[in-house]
Structures are given as structure tokens and as C-alpha cells.
Amino acid sequence: MVNINNNETNSKYGLEEEIHTDFRKEMSYASYLQLDKILSSQQRLSDHHDEMLFIIIHQASELWMKLILHEVNAAIQCILRNDLEPSFKMLSRVSRIQQQLIQSWSVLSTLTPAEYMEFRDKLGHASGFQSYQNRLIEFAFGNKNAHTLLVFQHDPEIYEKLKRALHEPSIYDAAIKALAARGLPIDQEVLDRDWSQTYQPNASVEEAWLTVYRNVDQYWDLYELAEKLVDIGSQQQLWRYNHMSTVERIIGHKKGTGGSSGVTYLKRALDQHFFPELWTLRTKL
């Protein structure tokens, strides 16, 4: 065993004396982040060079999605408690994370159709459609669809997690409750709606948001919340578009590995808007 003297070693190699170099009995950067697990998880199923890109892009995306869910779920709880201000920081962070996810498609687009076809068959029926975290994000934003849970029946733990999320209020449901808590009239059927259903536009909700936007000083916190929601809704649509565009660039209109219609399915998803009244009110202001 090498006998390490921190000060002598640092001086010898030109390091600052206070830099710690002996981690035999202490936690290191690698151990804190469990890099042994993370960096050993890129197991290619082919010998093709570019499969590494494909794996890392999707693994990194799942980590960013985990952080989005961490922030959005905390924001929902803040809003339900009528404690709006902490949610603003959380939602600002979400929109920045979404920018990272959007940018990742430009990296994946360096994968050419010929290169992808060299290992695509190794995926079997594995597909991004099966990303349960992406589905949880869609649920948290209000795009609920019980039929999508069928894809996750093979994993009871994930299936139950998705089922719970399906029946919980989305961040928009929480925002509408915040409108009602401030005395803005909201139809009771909206407040008592089945949260497992995709939200449908409502005239009383649009009128409430119009009141907020016409009286910004009086309802500054609700106005700020609305704009944070517009930010994350816009970014999610950009992510969807870049996803569709990248898939079209790499596989054209082939069917997805999971059995979907591929680009056609992704284009239909672009028609599913989040927080509808926050968009329609702009025409009426």
C-alpha cells in the first residue's frame, strides 16, 4: 500500500496543498454519483459503433425526465397548498431541462439511416413509446389516456405507479383549483371532474384566466403561474416536434419498433395541446 502524504504529494505534482487526494476511507466523487453503475450500463447488443450514441442519448433523456418529474410533482403540491411562489422556481427549472431534452435530438440526428439499420433489429419491440417516465410527464401535464397503461402490464410496479398518476390531478388541475381558491368562478363540474380523463376546455376557466391577465397587479402570482405553464407547454410541444422530425430523418415513415405507425403517430401527438385556455385567451385579450 502506497503511503500518501497529501501535502507532500500535492507539492510534488504542482497541486494546491488543500486539494484532497486520499480517498481510501472517504467518499469520492465517483462513489457519491455511483458512476460504476451508471457508466457500466451502456451494453451494446451489436458491434456497431453508433449504438453507443443511441443508448446514451436515451439513458441521459431518462435521467432528465426523472428530474422533470421531481420538480413538477413538487410544484403540483405547492400549488394545491396555495403556496404558488416556490413552484415558479421549479417550473423555470423544468423548462430549462426541457431545452436539454430538445437539444438531444440534434445529437441523435447525426445517426444516419444506414447506420441505424445496422443495429435496429437488435431492439426487437423495445421503443421509446414504452418510456413510462415520459408517460408520467404527459399525465402530469394533463394528457391522460388509460389505454397507454396496457404497454406496462408486464411490470406491476410501474403499472401501479402509472395508474396512480392517471387518477391524480395534473398541474393544470392544480392551477384551476388555485383560480377557484382566489374567488374566481369556476364551474363545479371542472373542479369535481374525473382526473383520469384528458382535460377538456371550459368557458369558465377561460374567463377566469382572462380576468387574471386583465388584472395582472391584483393576480400577479396567478399570472406568473400561467406564464410558467405556457413555458413548459411550449417546450413539450417543441420536444415532440423535434422527436418527430428526428425519427422522420432517420427511418422515414417506417413503423416504429414498438408497433406504432412511427412518424404518423408522432404527428398526431402534436395536435394534443396542453393548458388550452392559456392559448385561446390570447386572441380575446
Side-chain angles (χ1 to χ4, degrees):
M1 178 70 70
V2 177
N3 184 22
I4 299 175
N5 182 300
N6 206 68
N7 290 342
E8 289 181 6
T9 303
N10 287 5
S11 178
K12 179 179 178 181
Y13 292 104
L15 297 177
E16 294 176 359
E17 287 188 2
E18 296 302 317
I19 292 178
H20 198 80
T21 59
D22 185 0
F23 292 95
R24 289 172 294 180
K25 296 181 180 180
E26 293 192 53
M27 180 176 63
S28 69
Y29 172 84
S31 59
Y32 172 67
L33 294 177
Q34 300 187 59
L35 292 183
D36 55 335
K37 295 179 182 178
I38 295 174
L39 299 180
S40 62
S41 297
Q42 294 72 47
Q43 302 297 322
R44 289 182 292 168
L45 298 181
S46 74
D47 294 327
H48 198 277
H49 173 85
D50 292 311
E51 190 182 355
M52 185 64 76
L53 162 69
F54 191 82
I55 292 171
I56 288 176
I57 285 289
H58 288 87
Q59 287 183 341
S61 293
E62 290 293 335
L63 285 172
W64 283 125
M65 288 180 191
K66 183 173 183 176
L67 186 53
I68 285 177
L69 289 167
H70 178 71
E71 300 294 341
V72 168
N73 288 331
I76 290 173
Q77 294 308 310
C78 288
I79 297 165
L80 289 173
R81 294 195 303 267
N82 263 327
D83 186 16
L84 302 189
E85 286 198 10
S87 74
F88 302 156
K89 175 65 177 291
M90 297 166 187
L91 295 178
S92 291
R93 183 173 292 160
V94 168
S95 66
R96 299 293 181 88
I97 298 166
Q98 288 173 307
Q99 290 170 19
Q100 296 295 318
L101 286 167
I102 292 165
Q103 178 61 25
S104 71
W105 293 121
S106 68
V107 181
L108 187 59
S109 69
T110 64
L111 180 68
T112 68
E115 290 163 348
Y116 181 47
M117 293 310 296
E118 290 290 324
F119 63 86
R120 186 178 191 242
D121 63 321
K122 299 294 184 182
L123 302 179
H125 291 301
S127 164
F129 185 82
Q130 298 145 23
S131 169
Y132 76 89
Q133 290 199 121
N134 184 50
R135 188 59 52 197
L136 286 170
I137 291 169
E138 292 276 328
F139 284 2
F141 287 5
N143 181 23
K144 305 286 186 76
N145 185 341
H147 297 299
T148 59
L149 269 64
L150 296 173
V151 179
F152 305 97
Q153 292 179 105
H154 66 286
D155 191 322
E157 184 178 348
I158 290 175
Y159 182 86
E160 286 303 317
K161 182 181 289 189
L162 284 160
K163 188 176 179 181
R164 286 195 301 272
L166 183 72
H167 290 88
E168 290 171 350
S170 72
I171 195 163
Y172 198 49
D173 291 314
I176 292 170
K177 284 181 173 292
L179 291 172
R182 291 289 290 276
L184 293 162
I186 303 292
D187 290 345
Q188 197 61 40
E189 65 187 44
V190 177
L191 298 173
D192 297 336
R193 78 182 196 86
D194 181 355
W195 290 329
S196 70
Q197 301 297 311
T198 295
Y199 177 81
Q200 299 299 322
N202 176 271
S204 70
V205 174
E206 182 182 73
E207 192 58 39
W209 284 124
L210 278 167
T211 299
V212 169
Y213 274 74
R214 287 168 176 158
N215 300 274
V216 171
D217 291 341
Q218 182 180 353
Y219 298 106
W220 174 259
D221 53 349
L222 290 170
Y223 172 73
E224 184 72 4
L225 174 61
E227 286 299 294
K228 296 300 184 189
L229 293 179
V230 170
D231 286 343
I232 65 173
S234 296
Q235 297 286 11
Q236 192 70 1
Q237 285 292 78
L238 284 172
W239 182 86
R240 285 171 165 182
Y241 177 80
N242 282 27
H243 182 190
M244 179 274 296
S245 180
T246 303
V247 169
E248 186 171 25
R249 175 172 178 158
I250 296 174
I251 68 167
H253 286 262
K254 292 185 183 72
K255 290 187 69 172
T257 48
S260 75
S261 56
V263 168
T264 301
Y265 171 83
L266 295 174
K267 284 184 176 178
R268 283 202 303 270
L270 288 171
D271 293 331
Q272 300 164 354
H273 291 282
F274 303 101
F275 326 133
E277 291 89 355
L278 294 179
W279 295 98
T280 56
L281 71 82
R282 282 156 161 74
T283 305
K284 297 183 178 181
L285 277 175

